[in-house]
Amino acid sequence: MLIKFDVTNEEGDRLKMQYGQKVASKAFKMAALDAFDLYHKNQELHEVIDSQRTEIRRLRNIIEQARSSAAQLLEKTGQGDLIDG
């Protein structure tokens, strides 16, 4: 199959350097084949980011609850002046 790309010399040179090729057509072929793997890796990383954001929210809630509990405990034990330093 023959596919023609209309690119600048700079774009072709950048791709040749990226893939260590002397011929732009080989570099474009390698880039096209990489696109599949890169797309799937990108999707996986987005899932990791979403999971980590969820975990961060969960941990922030735990920290806030602990902070609130500590403040209530100090208040109930009459040692609120320790917070004020």
Side-chain angles (χ1 to χ4, degrees):
M1 175 185 298
L2 177 64
I3 299 173
K4 183 178 177 182
F5 290 99
D6 187 21
V7 297
T8 66
N9 287 338
E10 181 184 329
E11 292 168 331
D13 290 343
R14 287 179 61 202
L15 215 53
K16 287 189 292 186
M17 287 179 15
Q18 172 72 28
Y19 286 97
Q21 297 294 316
K22 293 182 180 182
V23 180
S25 61
K26 288 182 182 179
F28 273 93
K29 179 181 177 183
M30 293 175 78
L33 294 173
D34 271 356
F36 296 112
D37 292 334
L38 292 172
Y39 174 79
H40 291 293
K41 183 67 175 174
N42 187 48
Q43 292 300 108
E44 290 171 7
L45 291 173
H46 277 284
E47 290 173 10
V48 168
I49 289 169
D50 289 343
S51 174
Q52 290 176 343
R53 283 182 177 154
T54 299
E55 181 67 2
I56 288 169
R57 281 193 300 273
R58 186 183 76 79
L59 293 173
R60 281 183 176 159
N61 285 336
I62 289 171
I63 290 168
E64 185 54 40
Q65 289 171 358
R67 182 180 291 126
S68 176
S69 294
Q72 288 176 7
L73 179 62
L74 284 173
E75 185 178 312
K76 289 184 187 228
T77 59
Q79 298 178 4
D81 56 333
L82 292 177
I83 295 176
D84 298 328

Coordinates of all heavy atoms in Angstrom, one line a residue:
M1 N 0.8 -1.2 0.0 CA 0.0 0.0 0.0 C 0.9 1.2 0.0 O 1.9 1.3 0.8 CB -0.9 0.0 1.3 CG -1.7 1.2 1.4 SD -2.7 1.4 2.9 CE -3.8 0.0 2.8
L2 N 0.6 2.2 -0.8 CA 1.3 3.4 -0.9 C 0.5 4.5 -0.3 O -0.6 4.7 -0.6 CB 1.6 3.8 -2.4 CG 2.4 5.1 -2.6 CD1 3.7 5.0 -2.0 CD2 2.5 5.4 -4.1
I3 N 1.2 5.2 0.6 CA 0.5 6.4 1.3 C 1.5 7.5 1.2 O 2.7 7.4 1.4 CB 0.3 6.1 2.8 CG1 -0.7 4.9 2.9 CG2 -0.3 7.3 3.5 CD1 -0.8 4.4 4.4
K4 N 1.0 8.7 0.8 CA 1.8 9.9 0.6 C 1.4 10.9 1.7 O 0.3 11.2 1.9 CB 1.6 10.5 -0.8 CG 2.4 11.7 -1.1 CD 2.2 12.2 -2.4 CE 3.1 13.4 -2.6 NZ 2.9 14.0 -3.9
F5 N 2.5 11.4 2.3 CA 2.3 12.5 3.3 C 2.9 13.8 2.8 O 4.0 13.8 2.2 CB 3.1 12.1 4.6 CG 2.5 11.0 5.4 CD1 3.0 9.7 5.3 CD2 1.4 11.2 6.2 CE1 2.4 8.7 6.0 CE2 0.8 10.2 7.0 CZ 1.4 8.9 6.9
D6 N 2.2 14.9 3.0 CA 2.7 16.2 2.6 C 3.2 16.8 3.9 O 2.4 17.3 4.7 CB 1.6 17.0 1.9 CG 2.1 18.3 1.4 OD1 3.3 18.4 1.1 OD2 1.3 19.2 1.2
V7 N 4.5 16.8 4.1 CA 5.1 17.4 5.3 C 6.3 18.3 4.9 O 6.8 18.2 3.8 CB 5.6 16.3 6.2 CG1 4.5 15.4 6.7 CG2 6.7 15.4 5.6
T8 N 6.7 19.1 5.8 CA 7.9 19.9 5.6 C 9.1 19.1 5.7 O 9.1 18.0 6.4 CB 7.9 21.1 6.5 OG1 8.1 20.6 7.9 CG2 6.6 22.0 6.4
N9 N 10.2 19.6 5.2 CA 11.5 18.9 5.4 C 11.8 18.8 6.9 O 12.4 17.8 7.4 CB 12.6 19.7 4.7 CG 12.6 19.5 3.2 OD1 12.0 18.5 2.7 ND2 13.2 20.4 2.5
E10 N 11.5 19.9 7.7 CA 11.7 19.8 9.1 C 11.0 18.7 9.8 O 11.5 18.0 10.6 CB 11.4 21.2 9.7 CG 11.6 21.2 11.2 CD 11.1 22.5 11.9 OE1 11.2 23.6 11.2 OE2 10.8 22.5 13.1
E11 N 9.7 18.5 9.4 CA 8.9 17.4 10.0 C 9.5 16.1 9.7 O 9.6 15.2 10.5 CB 7.5 17.5 9.6 CG 6.7 18.7 10.1 CD 5.4 19.0 9.4 OE1 5.2 18.6 8.2 OE2 4.5 19.6 10.1
G12 N 9.9 15.9 8.4 CA 10.5 14.7 8.0 C 11.8 14.4 8.7 O 12.1 13.3 9.2
D13 N 12.6 15.4 8.9 CA 13.9 15.3 9.6 C 13.7 15.0 11.0 O 14.5 14.1 11.6 CB 14.7 16.6 9.4 CG 15.2 16.8 8.0 OD1 15.2 15.9 7.2 OD2 15.6 18.0 7.7
R14 N 12.8 15.6 11.7 CA 12.5 15.3 13.1 C 12.1 13.8 13.3 O 12.5 13.2 14.2 CB 11.4 16.2 13.6 CG 11.8 17.6 13.8 CD 10.7 18.5 14.3 NE 10.2 18.1 15.6 CZ 9.0 18.3 16.1 NH1 8.2 19.1 15.4 NH2 8.7 17.9 17.3
L15 N 11.2 13.3 12.4 CA 10.8 12.0 12.5 C 12.0 11.0 12.2 O 12.1 10.0 12.9 CB 9.7 11.7 11.5 CG 8.6 10.7 12.0 CD1 8.1 11.1 13.4 CD2 7.5 10.6 11.0
K16 N 12.8 11.3 11.2 CA 14.0 10.5 10.9 C 14.9 10.4 12.1 O 15.4 9.4 12.5 CB 14.7 11.0 9.7 CG 14.0 10.8 8.4 CD 14.9 11.1 7.2 CE 15.1 12.6 7.0 NZ 15.9 12.9 5.8
M17 N 15.1 11.6 12.8 CA 16.0 11.6 14.0 C 15.3 10.8 15.1 O 16.0 10.1 15.8 CB 16.2 13.0 14.4 CG 17.2 13.8 13.5 SD 17.6 15.5 13.9 CE 17.0 15.8 15.6
Q18 N 14.0 11.0 15.3 CA 13.3 10.3 16.4 C 13.5 8.7 16.3 O 13.7 8.1 17.2 CB 11.8 10.6 16.3 CG 10.9 9.8 17.3 CD 11.1 10.2 18.7 OE1 11.5 11.3 19.0 NE2 10.9 9.3 19.6
Y19 N 13.4 8.2 15.0 CA 13.4 6.8 14.8 C 14.8 6.3 14.3 O 14.9 5.1 14.0 CB 12.3 6.4 13.9 CG 11.0 6.4 14.6 CD1 10.1 7.5 14.5 CD2 10.5 5.4 15.4 CE1 8.9 7.6 15.1 CE2 9.3 5.5 16.1 CZ 8.5 6.6 16.0 OH 7.3 6.6 16.6
G20 N 15.7 7.2 14.2 CA 17.0 6.7 13.7 C 17.1 6.2 12.3 O 17.8 5.3 12.0
Q21 N 16.3 6.8 11.5 CA 16.2 6.3 10.1 C 16.8 7.4 9.1 O 16.8 8.6 9.4 CB 14.7 6.1 9.7 CG 14.0 5.0 10.5 CD 14.6 3.6 10.2 OE1 14.9 3.3 9.1 NE2 14.9 2.9 11.3
K22 N 17.3 6.9 8.0 CA 17.8 7.8 7.0 C 16.8 8.2 6.0 O 16.9 9.2 5.3 CB 19.0 7.1 6.3 CG 20.2 6.9 7.2 CD 21.4 6.4 6.5 CE 22.5 6.2 7.5 NZ 23.7 5.7 6.9
V23 N 15.7 7.4 5.9 CA 14.6 7.6 4.9 C 13.4 8.0 5.7 O 13.0 7.2 6.6 CB 14.4 6.4 4.1 CG1 13.3 6.6 3.0 CG2 15.7 6.0 3.4
A24 N 12.7 9.0 5.3 CA 11.5 9.5 6.0 C 10.4 8.5 5.9 O 9.6 8.3 6.9 CB 11.1 10.9 5.4
S25 N 10.3 7.8 4.8 CA 9.2 6.8 4.7 C 9.2 5.7 5.7 O 8.2 5.3 6.3 CB 9.1 6.2 3.3 OG 10.3 5.5 3.0
K26 N 10.5 5.3 6.0 CA 10.6 4.3 7.0 C 10.3 4.8 8.4 O 9.7 4.2 9.3 CB 12.0 3.7 7.0 CG 12.3 2.8 5.8 CD 13.7 2.3 5.9 CE 14.0 1.5 4.7 NZ 15.4 0.9 4.7
A27 N 10.7 6.1 8.6 CA 10.4 6.7 9.9 C 8.9 6.9 10.1 O 8.4 6.7 11.2 CB 11.1 8.1 10.0
F28 N 8.2 7.3 9.0 CA 6.7 7.4 9.1 C 6.1 6.1 9.4 O 5.1 6.0 10.1 CB 6.2 8.1 7.8 CG 6.2 9.6 7.9 CD1 7.3 10.3 7.4 CD2 5.1 10.3 8.5 CE1 7.3 11.7 7.5 CE2 5.2 11.7 8.6 CZ 6.2 12.4 8.1
K29 N 6.6 5.0 8.7 CA 6.0 3.7 9.0 C 6.2 3.3 10.4 O 5.2 2.8 11.1 CB 6.7 2.7 8.1 CG 6.1 1.3 8.3 CD 6.8 0.3 7.4 CE 6.3 -1.1 7.6 NZ 7.0 -2.1 6.9
M30 N 7.3 3.5 11.0 CA 7.6 3.2 12.4 C 6.7 4.0 13.3 O 6.1 3.5 14.3 CB 9.0 3.4 12.7 CG 10.0 2.5 12.0 SD 11.7 2.8 12.3 CE 11.9 2.1 14.0
A31 N 6.5 5.3 13.0 CA 5.6 6.2 13.8 C 4.2 5.7 13.7 O 3.5 5.6 14.7 CB 5.7 7.6 13.3
A32 N 3.7 5.3 12.5 CA 2.4 4.8 12.4 C 2.2 3.5 13.2 O 1.2 3.3 13.9 CB 2.1 4.5 10.9
L33 N 3.2 2.6 13.2 CA 3.1 1.4 14.0 C 3.1 1.7 15.5 O 2.4 1.0 16.2 CB 4.2 0.4 13.5 CG 4.0 -0.1 12.1 CD1 5.3 -0.9 11.8 CD2 2.8 -0.9 11.9
D34 N 3.9 2.7 15.9 CA 3.9 3.0 17.3 C 2.6 3.6 17.8 O 2.3 3.6 18.9 CB 5.0 4.1 17.5 CG 6.4 3.5 17.8 OD1 6.5 2.2 17.9 OD2 7.3 4.3 17.9
A35 N 1.9 4.2 16.9 CA 0.6 4.9 17.3 C -0.3 4.0 18.0 O -1.0 4.4 19.0 CB 0.0 5.5 16.0
F36 N -0.4 2.7 17.6 CA -1.3 1.8 18.2 C -0.9 1.6 19.7 O -1.8 1.7 20.6 CB -1.3 0.4 17.5 CG -1.9 0.5 16.1 CD1 -1.0 0.3 15.0 CD2 -3.2 0.8 15.9 CE1 -1.5 0.4 13.7 CE2 -3.7 0.8 14.6 CZ -2.8 0.6 13.5
D37 N 0.3 1.3 19.9 CA 0.8 1.0 21.3 C 0.7 2.3 22.1 O 0.4 2.2 23.3 CB 2.3 0.5 21.3 CG 2.4 -0.9 20.7 OD1 1.4 -1.6 20.7 OD2 3.5 -1.2 20.1
L38 N 1.1 3.4 21.5 CA 1.0 4.7 22.3 C -0.4 5.0 22.7 O -0.7 5.6 23.8 CB 1.6 5.8 21.5 CG 3.1 5.7 21.3 CD1 3.6 6.8 20.3 CD2 3.9 5.8 22.6
Y39 N -1.4 4.8 21.8 CA -2.8 5.0 22.1 C -3.2 4.2 23.3 O -3.8 4.7 24.3 CB -3.7 4.8 20.9 CG -5.1 4.9 21.3 CD1 -5.7 6.1 21.3 CD2 -5.9 3.7 21.5 CE1 -7.1 6.2 21.7 CE2 -7.2 3.8 21.9 CZ -7.8 5.1 21.9 OH -9.1 5.2 22.3
H40 N -2.9 2.9 23.3 CA -3.3 2.0 24.4 C -2.6 2.4 25.7 O -3.2 2.4 26.8 CB -3.0 0.6 24.0 CG -4.0 0.1 23.0 ND1 -5.3 0.0 23.2 CD2 -3.8 -0.3 21.7 CE1 -5.9 -0.4 22.1 NE2 -5.0 -0.6 21.2
K41 N -1.3 2.8 25.6 CA -0.5 3.2 26.8 C -1.1 4.5 27.4 O -1.3 4.6 28.6 CB 0.9 3.4 26.4 CG 1.8 3.8 27.6 CD 1.9 2.6 28.6 CE 2.9 3.0 29.7 NZ 2.9 1.9 30.7
N42 N -1.5 5.4 26.5 CA -2.2 6.6 26.9 C -3.5 6.3 27.7 O -3.7 6.9 28.7 CB -2.4 7.5 25.7 CG -2.9 8.9 26.1 OD1 -2.3 9.5 27.0 ND2 -3.9 9.4 25.5
Q43 N -4.3 5.4 27.2 CA -5.5 5.0 27.8 C -5.2 4.5 29.2 O -5.9 4.8 30.2 CB -6.3 4.0 27.0 CG -6.8 4.6 25.7 CD -7.8 5.8 25.9 OE1 -7.4 6.9 25.6 NE2 -8.9 5.5 26.4
E44 N -4.2 3.6 29.3 CA -3.9 3.0 30.6 C -3.4 4.0 31.6 O -3.8 4.0 32.8 CB -2.7 2.0 30.4 CG -3.2 0.7 29.6 CD -2.0 -0.2 29.3 OE1 -0.8 0.1 29.7 OE2 -2.2 -1.2 28.6
L45 N -2.6 5.0 31.1 CA -2.2 6.0 32.0 C -3.3 6.9 32.5 O -3.3 7.4 33.6 CB -1.1 6.9 31.3 CG 0.2 6.1 31.1 CD1 1.2 7.0 30.3 CD2 0.9 5.7 32.4
H46 N -4.3 7.2 31.6 CA -5.5 8.0 32.1 C -6.2 7.2 33.1 O -6.7 7.8 34.1 CB -6.4 8.3 30.9 CG -5.9 9.5 30.1 ND1 -6.1 10.8 30.5 CD2 -5.3 9.5 28.9 CE1 -5.6 11.6 29.6 NE2 -5.1 10.9 28.6
E47 N -6.3 5.9 33.0 CA -7.0 5.1 34.0 C -6.2 5.2 35.4 O -6.8 5.3 36.4 CB -7.1 3.7 33.6 CG -8.1 3.5 32.4 CD -8.1 2.1 31.9 OE1 -7.5 1.2 32.5 OE2 -8.8 1.9 30.8
V48 N -4.9 5.1 35.3 CA -4.1 5.2 36.5 C -4.3 6.6 37.1 O -4.4 6.7 38.4 CB -2.6 5.0 36.2 CG1 -1.7 5.4 37.3 CG2 -2.3 3.6 35.8
I49 N -4.3 7.6 36.3 CA -4.5 9.0 36.9 C -5.8 9.1 37.6 O -5.9 9.7 38.7 CB -4.3 10.0 35.7 CG1 -2.9 10.1 35.3 CG2 -4.9 11.4 36.2 CD1 -2.7 11.0 34.1
D50 N -6.9 8.6 36.9 CA -8.2 8.6 37.5 C -8.2 7.9 38.8 O -8.8 8.4 39.8 CB -9.3 8.1 36.6 CG -9.5 8.9 35.4 OD1 -9.2 10.1 35.4 OD2 -10.1 8.4 34.4
S51 N -7.6 6.7 38.9 CA -7.6 6.0 40.1 C -6.8 6.7 41.2 O -7.2 6.7 42.4 CB -6.9 4.6 39.8 OG -6.7 3.9 41.0
Q52 N -5.7 7.3 40.8 CA -4.9 8.1 41.8 C -5.7 9.3 42.3 O -5.6 9.6 43.5 CB -3.5 8.5 41.2 CG -2.6 7.3 41.1 CD -1.3 7.6 40.4 OE1 -1.2 8.6 39.7 NE2 -0.4 6.7 40.5
R53 N -6.4 9.9 41.4 CA -7.2 11.1 41.9 C -8.3 10.6 42.9 O -8.5 11.3 43.9 CB -7.9 11.8 40.7 CG -6.9 12.6 39.9 CD -7.6 13.3 38.8 NE -6.6 14.2 38.1 CZ -6.7 14.5 36.8 NH1 -7.8 14.1 36.1 NH2 -5.8 15.3 36.3
T54 N -8.9 9.5 42.6 CA -9.9 9.0 43.6 C -9.2 8.7 44.9 O -9.8 9.0 46.0 CB -10.5 7.7 43.0 OG1 -11.2 8.0 41.8 CG2 -11.5 7.1 43.9
E55 N -8.0 8.1 44.9 CA -7.3 7.7 46.1 C -6.9 9.0 46.9 O -7.0 9.1 48.1 CB -6.1 6.9 45.8 CG -5.3 6.5 47.0 CD -6.0 5.5 47.9 OE1 -7.1 5.1 47.6 OE2 -5.4 5.1 49.0
I56 N -6.5 10.0 46.2 CA -6.2 11.3 46.8 C -7.4 11.9 47.5 O -7.3 12.4 48.6 CB -5.5 12.3 45.8 CG1 -4.2 11.8 45.4 CG2 -5.5 13.7 46.3 CD1 -3.6 12.5 44.2
R57 N -8.5 11.9 46.8 CA -9.7 12.4 47.5 C -10.1 11.6 48.7 O -10.4 12.2 49.8 CB -10.9 12.3 46.5 CG -10.9 13.5 45.5 CD -12.2 13.5 44.7 NE -12.6 12.3 44.0 CZ -12.2 12.1 42.7 NH1 -11.4 13.0 42.1 NH2 -12.5 11.0 42.1
R58 N -9.9 10.3 48.7 CA -10.2 9.4 49.8 C -9.3 9.8 51.0 O -9.7 9.9 52.1 CB -10.1 7.9 49.4 CG -10.5 7.0 50.5 CD -10.3 5.5 50.0 NE -8.9 5.2 50.1 CZ -8.2 4.8 51.2 NH1 -8.8 4.9 52.4 NH2 -6.9 4.5 51.2
L59 N -8.0 9.9 50.7 CA -7.0 10.2 51.7 C -7.2 11.6 52.3 O -7.1 11.8 53.5 CB -5.6 10.0 51.2 CG -5.2 8.5 50.8 CD1 -3.9 8.5 50.1 CD2 -5.3 7.6 52.0
R60 N -7.6 12.5 51.5 CA -7.9 13.9 52.0 C -9.0 13.8 53.0 O -9.0 14.5 54.0 CB -8.1 14.8 50.8 CG -6.9 15.3 50.1 CD -7.2 16.3 49.1 NE -6.0 16.8 48.5 CZ -5.9 17.4 47.3 NH1 -7.0 17.5 46.6 NH2 -4.7 17.8 46.8
N61 N -10.1 13.1 52.6 CA -11.2 12.9 53.5 C -10.8 12.3 54.9 O -11.2 12.8 55.9 CB -12.3 12.1 52.9 CG -13.1 12.8 51.8 OD1 -13.1 14.1 51.8 ND2 -13.7 12.1 50.9
I62 N -9.9 11.3 54.8 CA -9.5 10.7 56.0 C -8.7 11.7 56.9 O -8.9 11.8 58.1 CB -8.6 9.4 55.7 CG1 -9.5 8.3 55.2 CG2 -7.8 9.0 56.9 CD1 -8.7 7.1 54.6
I63 N -7.8 12.4 56.2 CA -7.0 13.4 57.0 C -7.9 14.5 57.6 O -7.7 14.9 58.7 CB -6.0 14.1 56.0 CG1 -4.9 13.1 55.7 CG2 -5.4 15.4 56.6 CD1 -4.0 13.5 54.5
E64 N -8.9 15.0 56.8 CA -9.8 16.0 57.4 C -10.6 15.4 58.5 O -10.8 16.1 59.6 CB -10.8 16.5 56.3 CG -11.7 17.6 56.7 CD -10.9 18.8 57.3 OE1 -9.9 19.1 56.8 OE2 -11.4 19.3 58.3
Q65 N -11.1 14.2 58.5 CA -11.8 13.5 59.6 C -10.9 13.4 60.8 O -11.3 13.6 61.9 CB -12.3 12.2 59.1 CG -13.5 12.2 58.2 CD -13.8 10.9 57.6 OE1 -13.2 9.9 57.9 NE2 -14.9 10.9 56.8
A66 N -9.6 13.0 60.6 CA -8.7 12.9 61.7 C -8.4 14.3 62.3 O -8.4 14.4 63.6 CB -7.4 12.3 61.2
R67 N -8.3 15.3 61.5 CA -8.0 16.6 62.0 C -9.2 17.1 62.9 O -9.1 17.6 64.0 CB -7.8 17.6 60.9 CG -7.5 19.0 61.3 CD -7.3 20.0 60.1 NE -6.1 19.6 59.5 CZ -5.9 19.4 58.2 NH1 -7.0 19.4 57.4 NH2 -4.8 19.1 57.6
S68 N -10.4 16.8 62.4 CA -11.6 17.2 63.1 C -11.8 16.4 64.4 O -12.1 17.0 65.4 CB -12.9 16.9 62.2 OG -14.1 17.2 62.9
S69 N -11.5 15.1 64.3 CA -11.5 14.3 65.6 C -10.5 14.8 66.6 O -10.8 14.8 67.8 CB -11.3 12.8 65.2 OG -12.3 12.3 64.4
A70 N -9.3 15.1 66.1 CA -8.3 15.6 67.1 C -8.7 16.9 67.7 O -8.5 17.1 68.9 CB -7.0 15.8 66.3
A71 N -9.3 17.8 66.9 CA -9.8 19.1 67.5 C -10.9 18.9 68.5 O -10.9 19.5 69.6 CB -10.3 20.0 66.4
Q72 N -11.8 17.9 68.2 CA -12.9 17.6 69.2 C -12.3 17.0 70.4 O -12.8 17.4 71.5 CB -13.9 16.7 68.5 CG -14.8 17.3 67.5 CD -15.7 16.3 66.8 OE1 -15.8 15.2 67.2 NE2 -16.4 16.7 65.8
L73 N -11.3 16.1 70.3 CA -10.7 15.5 71.5 C -10.1 16.5 72.4 O -10.2 16.5 73.6 CB -9.7 14.4 71.0 CG -9.0 13.7 72.2 CD1 -10.0 12.9 73.0 CD2 -8.0 12.8 71.6
L74 N -9.3 17.4 71.8 CA -8.7 18.5 72.6 C -9.7 19.4 73.2 O -9.5 19.8 74.4 CB -7.7 19.3 71.7 CG -6.4 18.7 71.3 CD1 -5.7 19.5 70.3 CD2 -5.6 18.4 72.5
E75 N -10.8 19.7 72.6 CA -11.8 20.5 73.1 C -12.5 19.8 74.3 O -12.7 20.4 75.4 CB -12.8 20.8 72.1 CG -13.9 21.8 72.5 CD -14.9 22.1 71.4 OE1 -14.5 22.4 70.3 OE2 -16.1 22.0 71.7
K76 N -12.7 18.5 74.2 CA -13.4 17.8 75.2 C -12.5 17.6 76.4 O -13.0 17.4 77.5 CB -14.0 16.5 74.7 CG -15.1 16.7 73.8 CD -15.7 15.4 73.3 CE -16.8 15.7 72.3 NZ -18.0 15.0 72.5
T77 N -11.2 17.5 76.2 CA -10.3 17.2 77.3 C -9.9 18.5 78.0 O -9.1 18.5 78.9 CB -9.1 16.5 76.9 OG1 -8.4 17.2 75.9 CG2 -9.5 15.1 76.4
G78 N -10.4 19.7 77.5 CA -10.1 20.9 78.1 C -8.7 21.4 77.8 O -8.2 22.2 78.6
Q79 N -8.1 20.9 76.8 CA -6.7 21.3 76.5 C -6.7 22.1 75.2 O -5.7 22.0 74.5 CB -5.8 20.1 76.4 CG -5.8 19.3 77.7 CD -4.9 18.1 77.6 OE1 -4.3 17.8 76.6 NE2 -4.9 17.3 78.6
G80 N -7.7 22.8 74.9 CA -7.7 23.6 73.7 C -6.6 24.6 73.6 O -6.2 25.0 72.5
D81 N -6.1 25.1 74.8 CA -5.1 26.1 74.8 C -3.8 25.5 74.2 O -2.9 26.3 73.8 CB -4.8 26.6 76.2 CG -4.5 25.5 77.2 OD1 -5.0 24.3 77.0 OD2 -3.8 25.8 78.2
L82 N -3.6 24.2 74.1 CA -2.4 23.6 73.5 C -2.4 23.9 72.0 O -1.3 24.0 71.4 CB -2.4 22.1 73.8 CG -2.2 21.7 75.2 CD1 -2.2 20.1 75.3 CD2 -0.8 22.2 75.7
I83 N -3.6 23.9 71.4 CA -3.6 24.2 70.0 C -3.2 25.6 69.7 O -2.5 25.9 68.7 CB -5.1 24.0 69.4 CG1 -5.5 22.6 69.6 CG2 -5.2 24.5 68.0 CD1 -6.9 22.3 69.2
D84 N -3.6 26.5 70.5 CA -3.2 27.9 70.3 C -1.8 28.2 70.5 O -1.2 29.3 70.2 CB -4.1 28.9 71.2 CG -5.6 28.7 70.8 OD1 -5.9 28.4 69.6 OD2 -6.4 28.9 71.7
G85 N -1.1 27.3 71.2 CA 0.3 27.4 71.3 C 0.9 28.2 72.4 O 1.9 28.7 72.5

